[in-house]
Amino acid sequence: PNDLLMCTSSGSADVVGKSALFEANGWVGSFGAFCAVIRANPNACVPGYLKHVLRAPAFLRWARSSLGANIKNIRKSELELFQFHLPMRSDQVRVATILDNADILGRKRNEAIRLADEILRAAYLDLAERHPARTPVETLLADVPNAARTGPFGSQLLVSEFTKSGVPVLGIDNVVA
């Protein structure tokens, strides 16, 4: 528990440097090549704070600039040189708690948005099933190909279409910048 697992080598600059904190006791497993375990010094750094440092934009930018043309690599010697602000332990705990709560709220927000979208889709489908269209779409759109005119001259009204009343129609030639 409290170790971080980091991807240290990848063909994707967006993946190299990503990490996860093992918070649960009793996890039994292994990790593959191109990964490294990072253990915070318990006398200096709170693991939850280090987790957020390694997820911060400054670290991820640094990780993306790691060596390698096709495969990005973070070497242990380079990682040991990365510097970051290390406040007092009490401040580290406070910052980590605030950021953990923000992560939880963000996940809940995303889930709420997903559920709202799902509810809207379900409501629409329910409405469509209870009130099916009474007129086929083909019937509603039958005159569109005949009525549609495009192009610089095709969009103009014919003289026979002018009326003294109704809604005025403007063409592209009426638009002035």
Side-chain angles (χ1 to χ4, degrees):
N2 296 321
D3 285 345
L4 289 122
L5 180 64
M6 178 184 288
C7 174
T8 56
S9 183
S10 175
S12 171
D14 291 335
V15 174
V16 70
K18 283 196 172 182
S19 61
L21 177 67
F22 288 100
E23 298 180 73
N25 285 320
W27 181 79
V28 177
S30 64
F31 58 90
F34 311 117
C35 293
V37 170
I38 300 169
R39 181 169 293 156
N41 178 343
N43 298 321
C45 187
V46 174
Y49 180 79
L50 182 58
K51 170 184 76 173
H52 290 290
V53 166
L54 297 177
R55 291 181 179 173
F59 177 78
L60 295 176
R61 275 191 307 274
W62 176 85
R64 283 189 196 102
S65 68
S66 58
L67 296 175
N70 294 326
I71 305 291
K72 297 289 186 182
N73 297 292
I74 299 175
R75 293 183 179 85
K76 180 179 183 274
S77 58
E78 294 168 334
L79 188 56
E80 289 172 343
L81 295 174
F82 181 77
Q83 295 183 6
F84 59 93
H85 179 70
L86 191 62
M88 296 183 334
R89 286 184 62 81
S90 60
D91 290 339
Q92 291 178 45
V93 170
R94 187 174 55 81
V95 167
T97 301
I98 290 169
L99 293 175
D100 285 343
N101 288 334
D103 284 347
I104 291 166
L105 287 174
R107 283 193 297 274
K108 286 182 178 181
R109 177 183 176 274
N110 290 340
E111 179 65 8
I113 291 169
R114 187 190 67 75
L115 288 172
D117 287 346
E118 198 173 292
I119 289 168
L120 288 173
R121 271 189 230 101
Y124 174 78
L125 291 174
D126 182 57
L127 183 65
E129 286 176 5
R130 286 189 288 131
H131 303 286
R134 305 221 189 307
T135 307
V137 172
E138 293 82 12
T139 304
L140 295 173
L141 300 178
D143 292 335
V144 170
N146 297 331
R149 294 191 296 261
T150 59
F153 302 107
S155 61
Q156 296 174 359
L157 290 173
L158 301 173
V159 173
S160 61
E161 296 174 305
F162 288 146
T163 62
K164 295 191 187 299
S165 63
V167 178
V169 177
L170 299 176
I172 192 67
D173 54 331
N174 299 113
V175 178
V176 178

